[in-house]
Amino acid sequence: GWQVSMKSGNLSYVLPCSRLPVQLMSQVRVYTSNGQKKDLGSEDTNGSASGETLHKVETGQDTTNAGQKQSSPKQPIQVKVKAVLKKREYGPKYTQNNFITGVRAINEFCLKSSDLDQLRKIRRRSPHDDTETFTVYLRSDVEAKSLEVWGSPEALARERKRRKEAEIKYRENLFRNQRLLWEYKEFFGNTKPRSSTAAMFFKGPGKVVMVAICINGLNFFFKLLAWVYTGSASMFSEAIHSLADTCNQALLALGISQSARTPDPSHPYGFTNMRYIASLISGVGIFMMGAGLSWYHGIIGLLHPHPVESLLWAYCILAGSLVSEGATLLVAVNEIRRSARAKGLSFYQYVVQSRDPSTNVVLLEDAAAVLSVAVAATCMGLTSLTGNPYYDSVGSLGVGTLLGTVSAFLIYTNTEALLGRSIEPEQLQRLTELLESDPVVRAIHDVKATDMGMSKVRFKAEVDFDGRVVTRSYLEKQDIEQLLQEIQQVKTLEELEAFMLKHGENIIDTLGAEVDRLEKDLKQRNPDVRHVDLEIL
């Protein structure tokens, strides 16, 4: 039959129409969130208009199908009433259900710990790995308590301003206090046991750097004496090379000590990148100080050659330097092999990926030192045999070129590390498969895994959770019979709303617990992953 649109009260619906006119008699009730119902009465007024419309349609139908019998019986009309919960306007400063930690309550609202003892305490899931739950307070209770303590918002604002000024004054005097403490330790003696920072220089990369500093310092002293005695350009380049190595490795030691600092509010992810920064500056120093001075001295020797004195002492010092630099190189090679084996990488991959920038700098500097000693000895030997000082100047240029190549490699690898490069595709695939194999995860998107340096990885992903699995996980921890009784006791809209809000909040907490579980699994199965950010899609 024809489809005729009808309106009754605030409801609109479609009626199937046959040849016979249908009289519409219905009562519409509109429910509100408080369970009240409003009777709009019978649709007599609209019914007459509707009847006229149906009559017009019926007339057209009779004209088209003349002579047919009208035998359709009357059919009852069912109207479905949709109860809509009234939307609540919370406003931009709605804090009725917001939680706040005790530390924030004390700092932001100028309260004491004794003031918080009188407030309601709520146990919530802890965001920290070392604790499962912690205590929070309702922000509305804290705000009310602060007004009770301070009397008015203006008095609270004045107290906040006073504490802010005191904090600024404390920071200004912090350097002076540290200086006084240092002088006190020097006067009375520092009996504090050796710190972990100092212990870092007795093992691993710190030990390699300290050995390199001692050996390169001695090499610089003896090479400088040989250059003063012989006037050789190649020996001058070697002395400058050893001085540059000593200064750069001292900078590496500073970077290692700074990287051991604990994270603070200004640097929440720590100071591990200080090693890469120190290595980057070291590479620039090698290029400017080592390569630059070697090129300069070599070019001056070519433009203004002068005869070279006896090179016997120079050969002896070069031989001693070769042994000492080789010993330092061997220490660096052994340390890198041990670290690469622990990470499951080859020696070449470990060096190219700059997993340990401090050891890499020592390795490359000592390798360049051994090669430069060989180049300098060869060029000095040619000068002794032929008496041509140009060979010695060419040796200085060769040492400078070698140092420039090493510095360029160090600058490139450390810059890549500081930019935040991605981890290896195989490792990223393992992390992705671990998440996707979990029943609570439907899919993951926008996966990013960044190498933060020193074997620390930050993992981020958009996760599409399966709401049915999360809800079932919540129901498994509930008494189903008691839950069924609660459902059967729901009679009004207020009771339904309270039931849904109660269990809806608990389901959200269950989702948060699932996120914490996934983050913990990722960290346990992949020790390199230190920071995990899973965002709910």
Side-chain angles (χ1 to χ4, degrees):
W2 291 86
Q3 299 293 323
V4 182
S5 177
M6 302 293 296
K7 285 190 176 180
S8 177
N10 293 332
L11 300 175
S12 62
Y13 43 88
V14 178
L15 298 177
C17 180
S18 59
R19 297 186 185 90
L20 286 177
V22 180
Q23 292 183 355
L24 177 63
M25 298 293 293
S26 63
Q27 191 174 21
V28 181
R29 295 173 181 174
V30 180
Y31 290 85
T32 61
S33 60
N34 56 8
Q36 298 178 356
K37 56 185 179 179
K38 298 179 180 180
D39 192 354
L40 299 182
S42 300
E43 306 297 326
D44 294 336
T45 57
N46 292 337
S48 59
S50 302
E52 293 176 3
T53 306
L54 288 174
H55 180 68
K56 292 179 181 179
V57 175
E58 175 61 19
T59 304
Q61 186 76 0
D62 289 341
T63 305
T64 307
N65 304 295
Q68 296 184 2
K69 295 182 179 180
Q70 302 175 356
S71 60
S72 298
K74 296 182 179 180
Q75 296 179 357
I77 298 175
Q78 297 180 355
V79 179
K80 293 183 179 180
V81 179
K82 181 179 180 181
V84 180
L85 187 66
K86 182 179 179 181
K87 185 177 180 180
R88 179 176 297 177
E89 298 293 339
Y90 293 102
K93 295 184 179 181
Y94 177 74
T95 58
Q96 183 177 352
N97 294 326
N98 288 5
F99 295 139
I100 186 173
T101 61
V103 176
R104 286 190 58 192
I106 293 174
N107 293 335
E108 296 181 11
F109 293 91
C110 304
L111 298 175
K112 300 178 181 179
S113 57
S114 58
D115 297 331
L116 301 180
D117 295 338
Q118 307 172 8
L119 303 181
R120 289 178 290 178
K121 299 179 179 62
I122 304 172
R123 302 292 294 177
R124 302 291 294 177
R125 287 182 302 104
S126 174
H128 309 290
D129 296 334
D130 54 348
T131 55
E132 293 184 358
T133 59
F134 73 135
T135 302
V136 294
Y137 304 88
L138 284 174
R139 188 182 182 93
S140 56
D141 293 347
V142 174
E143 290 177 348
K145 186 64 179 180
S146 65
L147 292 179
E148 177 185 346
V149 172
W150 295 104
S152 65
E154 292 76 12
L156 177 60
R158 287 194 298 268
E159 179 63 18
R160 286 175 177 173
K161 182 179 179 181
R162 187 189 67 79
R163 294 192 179 190
K164 187 67 175 178
E165 293 174 351
E167 181 181 359
I168 295 174
K169 185 177 180 181
Y170 169 77
R171 290 181 178 179
E172 292 176 351
N173 296 330
L174 183 61
F175 177 77
R176 184 175 60 86
N177 295 335
Q178 289 178 345
R179 182 62 182 175
L180 292 175
L181 182 61
W182 179 260
E183 293 177 356
Y184 173 82
K185 289 180 179 180
E186 287 184 344
F187 182 77
F188 289 98
N190 188 3
T191 58
K192 185 179 178 180
R194 181 179 295 159
S195 63
S196 58
T197 303
M200 294 178 62
F201 294 102
F202 293 91
K203 62 180 180 180
K207 178 181 177 181
V208 175
V209 171
M210 294 305 296
V211 170
I213 289 175
C214 296
I215 292 179
N216 284 316
L218 291 175
N219 288 339
F220 165 70
F221 178 74
F222 288 112
K223 288 178 181 179
L224 185 64
L225 292 179
W227 170 70
V228 172
Y229 180 73
T230 61
S232 170
S234 296
M235 186 54 65
F236 175 80
S237 298
E238 279 299 304
I240 292 299
H241 183 187
S242 296
L243 177 61
D245 288 350
T246 304
C247 295
N248 291 329
Q249 285 151 9
L251 184 62
L252 293 178
L254 178 62
I256 291 175
S257 64
Q258 292 295 315
S259 65
R261 295 168 58 187
T262 56
D264 56 25
S266 300
H267 305 85
Y269 291 105
F271 299 85
T272 54
N273 282 340
M274 281 300 300
R275 294 196 183 190
Y276 292 97
I277 295 174
S279 300
L280 178 61
I281 298 174
S282 177
V284 176
I286 293 173
F287 184 82
M288 295 178 62
M289 190 173 178
L293 288 178
S294 297
W295 284 331
Y296 171 77
H297 205 72
I299 293 173
I300 292 299
L302 291 176
L303 297 177
H304 307 285
H306 62 277
V308 180
E309 302 294 335
S310 176
L311 299 177
L312 178 60
W313 285 104
Y315 290 139
C316 294
I317 292 175
L318 284 179
S321 177
L322 181 63
V323 173
S324 61
E325 297 283 3
T328 309
L329 178 62
L330 184 61
V331 173
V333 168
N334 291 334
E335 177 63 25
I336 289 181
R337 282 181 177 175
R338 184 187 63 81
S339 301
R341 193 182 305 112
K343 296 296 181 182
L345 300 173
S346 64
F347 184 89
Y348 175 77
Q349 289 177 333
Y350 192 88
V351 173
V352 171
Q353 295 177 10
S354 189
R355 294 286 181 148
D356 186 357
S358 303
T359 308
N360 276 4
V361 172
V362 175
L363 171 72
L364 296 174
E365 285 184 348
D366 289 340
V370 171
L371 292 177
S372 63
V373 166
V375 171
T378 301
C379 293
M380 289 168 61
L382 292 174
T383 299
S384 299
L385 293 176
T386 61
N388 188 353
Y390 286 107
Y391 290 108
D392 187 53
S393 299
V394 171
S396 180
L397 293 175
V399 172
T401 302
L402 184 61
L403 292 177
T405 303
V406 171
S407 65
F409 179 78
L410 290 175
I411 292 172
Y412 171 76
T413 54
N414 287 284
T415 301
E416 285 291 311
L418 289 172
L419 287 176
R421 62 192 170 192
S422 178
I423 62 177
E424 293 297 316
E426 296 79 9
Q427 186 180 5
L428 181 60
Q429 183 65 24
R430 289 196 300 268
L431 296 175
T432 303
E433 291 176 354
L434 177 61
L435 282 179
E436 290 180 336
S437 62
D438 196 280
V440 79
V441 177
R442 277 201 183 112
I444 60 175
H445 310 278
D446 194 22
V447 179
K448 294 183 178 68
T450 306
D451 188 352
M452 301 176 60
M454 300 306 301
S455 301
K456 293 183 179 180
V457 176
R458 181 179 180 182
F459 182 83
K460 176 263 178 185
E462 300 273 354
V463 182
D464 184 6
F465 286 91
D466 192 336
R468 295 170 299 179
V469 177
V470 174
T471 305
R472 182 171 285 108
S473 176
Y474 168 70
L475 293 176
E476 290 173 355
K477 303 175 184 177
Q478 305 299 316
D479 186 351
I480 299 299
E481 294 182 358
Q482 182 180 358
L483 189 62
L484 181 59
Q485 293 178 1
E486 292 182 11
I487 296 175
Q488 293 173 350
Q489 292 175 359
V490 174
K491 302 300 181 181
T492 63
L493 291 178
E494 289 84 356
E495 295 176 352
L496 176 62
E497 180 182 1
F499 176 83
M500 294 299 296
L501 291 177
K502 171 187 174 182
H503 293 282
E505 183 177 8
N506 294 336
I507 291 175
I508 294 300
D509 291 340
T510 304
L511 177 59
E514 293 293 334
V515 172
D516 293 341
R517 179 182 62 81
L518 291 176
E519 292 179 350
K520 187 176 181 180
D521 289 346
L522 284 174
K523 293 179 181 179
Q524 287 181 347
R525 300 189 185 185
N526 301 272
D528 290 346
V529 179
R530 304 294 180 89
H531 307 282
V532 180
D533 299 323
L534 298 181
E535 301 180 4
I536 302 174
L537 187 62

